[in-house]
Amino acid sequence: MLEIKNLNKTYDNGVKALNNVNLCIPKGMFGLLGPNGAGKSSLMRTIATLQDADSGSIIFDGVDILKNPIEIRRRLGYLPQSFGVYQGVPAYELLDHLAMLKGLINKKERKEVVDGLLAQTNLYQHRKNAVSGYSGGMRQRFGIAQALLGDPDLLIVDEPTGGLDPEERNRFHNLLVSLGEQRVIILSTHIVDDVSELCPQMAILAAGEVLRQGNPFELIDDLKGQIWRKTVSITEVESIEKELPVISKRLFAGQIIIHVLADSAPQGFETTPADLEDVYFSSLHQNKQQRIAS
Ligand SMILES: Nc1ncnc2c1ncn2[C@@H]1O[C@H](COP(=O)(O)OP(=O)(O)OP(=O)(O)O)[C@@H](O)[C@H]1O
Ligand SMILES: [Mg+2]
């Protein structure tokens, strides 16, 4: 269990990346959903002990991460949003090297671990090829293999699915699911489907603030009877947006389906069951309105 309390971070340039963040993250997969610049990577780097917070605490299984970074690093795996790899170094050699740095000094033991992780991430048959030549999906799977060295209790993966094609994304999702429920896994993403497919617990982050957190089903249930739908043409959208709280516009077969958040049906709209996209977009919409008003 990971508990984040009153966490704040302002960068030297004045950007407040984390604004009093409070989160309770149980074992299993936790989705951190937010748009570009929400503060996802800032939060993950802080949990991974790679940068300091200004104030607040992060407690993992009773240990304060910010005060005991060295102890936590041993139990932590981290896949950063982007990572460089040495040109031309085969996957096996690179993972073997990283395993050594992680403290696996026994050669036989290390081989077992490295072989095992390459098999688990479906890279064993590609182990002699350079990671720098891997496709995006293979690279991300290698990223998970290195993050799993030392069998961490806390695994942090920062936007791992961006840029993957549907097949590779699916493969990556299956890999994450296979990692089990016995550790805390935090996955950041701006893709709502990543969360709806994988995460029994989630939070929505925007402009450094936690807007919602909980179980996706419960968050969806909170919107029951408040989402209304209409299919319109492009020319109609602007005037509707002026009058109604439009939370999303989705293109379908060349037309636009708009979703509106309201307690009762606006003229010409029909009811539609809420989904996680509605939860996400309505949270962002409300947050934006609040910021405009203040
Ligand atoms: N090292 C830094 N110095 C100054 N500002 C930063 C730094 N890192 C991030 N920021 C700013 O902090 C805010 C949050 O950035 P962060 O990278 O944490 O967001 P994010 O949710 O990960 O976004 P993305 O989805 O684009 O990866 C942004 O406004 C960003 O420009
Ligand atoms: Mg990021």
Side-chain angles (χ1 to χ4, degrees):
M1 165 93 134
L2 184 75
E3 251 190 303
I4 300 172
K5 284 188 198 152
N6 308 110
L7 196 69
N8 287 286
K9 173 71 181 180
T10 302
Y11 288 110
D12 290 342
N13 60 2
V15 173
K16 196 164 179 53
L18 299 174
N19 189 358
N20 203 34
V21 168
N22 286 281
L23 285 173
C24 211
I25 305 181
K27 280 195 176 133
M29 194 92 79
F30 186 91
L32 186 66
L33 182 62
N36 291 140
K40 303 181 296 295
S41 297
S42 298
L43 180 59
M44 297 187 127
R45 283 196 302 267
T46 314
I47 302 170
T49 75
L50 296 171
Q51 71 181 40
D52 287 330
D54 300 334
S55 61
S57 62
I58 307 176
I59 313 285
F60 182 57
D61 286 348
V63 181
D64 191 327
I65 286 190
L66 301 174
K67 290 191 183 130
N68 304 279
I70 294 173
E71 187 176 336
I72 288 303
R73 271 175 214 151
R74 258 184 277 130
R75 303 176 58 195
L76 177 105
Y78 173 52
L79 172 56
Q81 188 163 357
S82 56
F83 61 99
V85 289
Y86 300 105
Q87 282 296 321
V89 181
Y92 187 92
E93 269 177 47
L94 187 53
L95 195 59
D96 185 66
H97 177 72
L98 294 169
M100 202 142 59
L101 294 179
K102 195 91 192 180
L104 276 161
I105 34 181
N106 181 298
K107 209 172 166 185
K108 190 164 160 262
E109 232 173 76
R110 196 166 69 239
K111 185 173 178 352
E112 262 171 38
V113 168
V114 170
D115 281 350
L117 286 173
L118 289 169
Q120 190 180 357
T121 50
N122 262 310
L123 291 172
Y124 190 77
Q125 66 275 36
H126 307 291
R127 68 191 180 284
K128 291 178 183 158
N129 301 341
V131 181
S132 50
Y134 273 3
S135 71
M138 289 164 76
R139 226 174 140 108
Q140 289 303 62
R141 280 187 272 132
F142 182 83
I144 284 290
Q146 66 78 27
L148 284 174
L149 283 167
D151 199 15
D153 305 316
L154 173 58
L155 183 66
I156 300 171
V157 287
D158 194 359
E159 281 201 47
T161 59
L164 300 191
D165 68 33
E167 199 186 338
E168 271 294 2
R169 202 168 136 255
N170 201 16
R171 202 191 272 249
F172 196 84
H173 279 186
N174 283 314
L175 174 59
L176 286 177
V177 166
S178 77
L179 300 180
E181 294 156 5
Q182 290 320 304
R183 55 181 123 220
V184 173
I185 304 178
I186 312 175
L187 164 83
S188 87
T189 182
H190 60 266
I191 302 166
V192 176
D193 282 347
D194 282 349
V195 176
S196 57
E197 285 176 27
L198 296 171
C199 305
Q201 291 290 323
M202 64 173 290
I204 297 171
L205 191 72
E209 287 182 43
V210 176
L211 306 182
R212 295 268 194 293
Q213 65 178 303
N215 167 277
F217 289 110
E218 287 167 16
L219 295 175
I220 290 169
D221 212 43
D222 289 343
L223 286 182
K224 213 169 170 180
Q226 295 180 66
I227 303 295
W228 308 93
R229 179 182 71 174
K230 189 178 183 186
T231 305
V232 300
S233 65
I234 288 182
T235 50
E236 291 171 272
V237 171
E238 205 177 322
S239 65
I240 294 174
E241 272 189 311
K242 277 193 188 126
E243 285 185 12
L244 295 168
V246 173
I247 56 167
S248 69
K249 294 167 279 188
R250 310 173 204 198
L251 277 168
F252 187 75
Q255 287 199 299
I256 300 180
I257 301 171
I258 55 179
H259 280 199
V260 159
L261 178 74
D263 290 333
S264 59
Q267 184 74 39
F269 279 72
E270 58 180 352
T271 183
T272 184
D275 59 22
L276 202 58
E277 286 210 4
D278 294 318
V279 173
Y280 182 50
F281 290 127
S282 64
S283 304
L284 295 183
H285 177 82
Q286 285 167 336
N287 181 254
K288 201 169 153 193
Q289 296 306 108
Q290 278 166 12
R291 272 185 284 153
I292 290 169
S294 67

